[in-house]
Amino acid sequence: MTESLQIQLKKGVLEMCVLALLSRGDNYAYDIAARMAEAVGMGEGTIYPLMRRMQNEGLVTTYLRESSGGPPRKYYKLTKSGALALEAQIREWLAFEAAVQKILGDIK
């Protein structure tokens, strides 16, 4: 797979993956970035602008939580709108994946 295709695929599912992580519990951006880097190779610089955009769109809210090793951390929490957006994105992803699999299944 070419690098540009990998980048485009990652960009296309980044928000859905972050919302999915937050559906499992509140978290701070650095940990989300680390999980995304481990899972799909997305860098920290990509996460922070996405988190700001999702907050502006009302998909997540934030709050501060004391940290044992430094200043308080900003935690992100999925909103009801964020949960609904995640559900819609999962449906769209599964439909898209099924369509691609149908096409690829025809190749022998």
Side-chain angles (χ1 to χ4, degrees):
M1 184 180 308
T2 65
E3 184 178 338
S4 64
L5 177 58
Q6 286 182 355
I7 291 169
Q8 292 303 314
L9 290 171
K10 290 174 186 179
K11 284 182 181 180
V13 298
L14 183 59
E15 180 178 301
M16 180 177 61
C17 290
V18 170
L19 291 173
L21 288 174
L22 289 173
S23 74
R24 296 182 182 116
D26 303 355
N27 213 333
Y28 55 100
Y30 182 80
D31 191 53
I32 293 168
R35 289 177 177 208
M36 292 298 295
E38 182 181 319
V40 294
M42 292 303 290
E44 185 178 328
T46 307
I47 295 297
Y48 290 98
L50 173 65
M51 301 308 291
R52 277 192 300 279
R53 182 179 60 75
M54 291 193 317
Q55 184 178 1
N56 290 339
E57 292 176 358
L59 302 176
V60 299
T61 60
T62 63
Y63 61 91
L64 293 176
R65 182 185 287 174
E66 291 298 320
S67 171
S68 61
R73 290 184 173 152
K74 182 192 280 189
Y75 273 74
Y76 292 86
K77 177 182 178 76
L78 192 65
T79 64
K80 184 170 183 151
S81 294
L84 293 171
L86 175 59
E87 289 174 10
Q89 289 177 20
I90 289 171
R91 282 192 304 274
E92 291 173 15
W93 171 259
L94 293 174
F96 179 74
E97 180 186 29
V100 171
Q101 284 295 339
K102 184 176 180 184
I103 292 168
L104 294 179
D106 294 339
I107 299 172
K108 304 263 181 200

